[in-house]
Amino acid sequence: DIQMTQSPSSLSASVGDRVTITCRASQNITNYLNWYQQRPGKAPKLLIYAASSLQSGLPSRFSGGGSGTDLTLTISSLQPEDFATYYCQQSYSTPYTFGQGTKLEI
Amino acid sequence: QVHLVQSGTEVKEPGSSVTVSCKASGGTFNNYALTWVRQAPGQGLEWMGRVIPILDVANYALKFQGRITITADKSTNTAYMKLRGLRSDDTAVYYCTRGGDYNVLTGYLQEYIWFDPWGQGTLVTVSS
């Protein structure tokens, strides 16, 4: 199975900050990588697919980058509603695996 | 626009089985992979398996092989996930989600797979 490791596991930030979350894969996954946001008690929500494509209807402050084994999610200017947990997920091969999550806190 | 609605909360005894349903509306149910993901309390997300209704084919994570069955009823646009031999560590919220479209002309799932949308989740508690 491909192991996905996110860093950091938690992150304190303020409204307006720029933050970057990194996802490291245990093998080359090229750009088969998705990012999700999950708020407490809610289902995950797709943010970014295929490493860098923004899901329709979402604000452009979310962006994804990278390729290979190191991929990133960047939020350019944090808004109050962005404080949540973020997960990466590889779709290179089954079983599709997720990172352990990054909790973004004020 | 695909919308997924799951069945309600379950409380089960160790060793028993649970079946969670996921009814889809919108889209072409037969042609996409209906996927199950679970999340233990305070933990991350875990892919369990998927079914492609038009093929009646399911595949599962090795971890669940022998304990899980995922099926789809094309007449009601409903998918089911049955987990047997429940243990306390199966206590989790179980989600269904759409995970890729199947192309009947090529015979392949779409190349890039992502999960969207998601059902609301079903809490399954395993306790004696």
Side-chain angles (χ1 to χ4, degrees):
Chain A
D1 298 2
I2 298 175
Q3 306 303 314
M4 306 300 292
T5 304
Q6 289 180 231
S7 60
S9 295
S10 63
L11 178 57
S12 292
S14 301
V15 172
D17 283 355
R18 177 186 179 91
V19 299
T20 296
I21 300 168
T22 297
C23 187
R24 175 162 289 176
S26 60
Q27 67 180 72
N28 186 349
I29 58 169
T30 63
N31 63 339
Y32 290 84
L33 192 282
N34 308 311
W35 290 96
Y36 302 86
Q37 176 194 70
Q38 187 178 34
R39 297 191 176 102
K42 299 295 186 182
K45 174 183 173 182
L46 177 68
L47 297 176
I48 301 284
Y49 60 93
S52 61
S53 294
L54 182 66
Q55 173 67 339
S56 175
L58 295 186
S60 59
R61 64 179 181 273
F62 294 98
S63 64
S67 183
T69 59
D70 291 302
L71 299 101
T72 59
L73 171 70
T74 298
I75 310 173
S76 60
S77 178
L78 279 172
Q79 298 302 300
E81 61 269 28
D82 298 338
F83 292 92
T85 300
Y86 293 84
Y87 293 94
C88 63
Q89 172 250 323
Q90 64 81 16
S91 62
Y92 185 83
S93 64
T94 60
Y96 300 132
T97 44
F98 293 83
Q100 81 281 13
T102 295
K103 188 173 184 179
L104 183 50
E105 302 172 297
I106 299 174
Chain B
Q1 189 86 350
V2 176
H3 186 56
L4 303 173
V5 178
Q6 300 181 220
S7 51
T9 298
E10 300 268 9
V11 179
K12 294 291 182 180
E13 293 196 346
S16 68
S17 301
V18 68
T19 299
V20 182
S21 67
C22 172
K23 184 170 177 61
S25 58
T28 307
F29 176 77
N30 288 354
N31 289 8
Y32 54 82
L34 204 298
T35 298
W36 290 89
V37 173
R38 76 176 185 179
Q39 185 171 38
Q43 302 300 307
L45 300 161
E46 183 174 34
W47 184 84
M48 302 179 72
R50 66 185 173 196
V51 63
I52 301 173
I54 196 170
L55 300 178
D56 275 328
V57 167
N59 58 300
Y60 309 116
L62 198 60
K63 172 177 180 175
F64 300 101
Q65 290 272 6
R67 285 209 300 146
I68 189 173
T69 304
I70 299 174
T71 57
D73 183 340
K74 294 185 285 291
S75 68
T76 60
N77 285 3
T78 304
Y80 299 90
M81 188 283 299
K82 181 175 183 178
L83 192 60
R84 300 177 290 276
L86 290 171
R87 308 183 288 252
S88 58
D89 62 358
D90 290 318
T91 294
V93 175
Y94 290 76
Y95 294 102
C96 64
T97 179
R98 176 181 178 174
D101 289 341
Y102 177 78
N103 187 318
V104 293
L105 298 178
T106 65
Y108 289 99
L109 271 176
Q110 69 186 61
E111 181 179 0
Y112 288 87
I113 302 293
W114 57 83
F115 301 138
D116 180 72
W118 295 64
Q120 83 277 19
T122 297
L123 175 61
V124 176
T125 301
V126 182
S127 174
S128 55

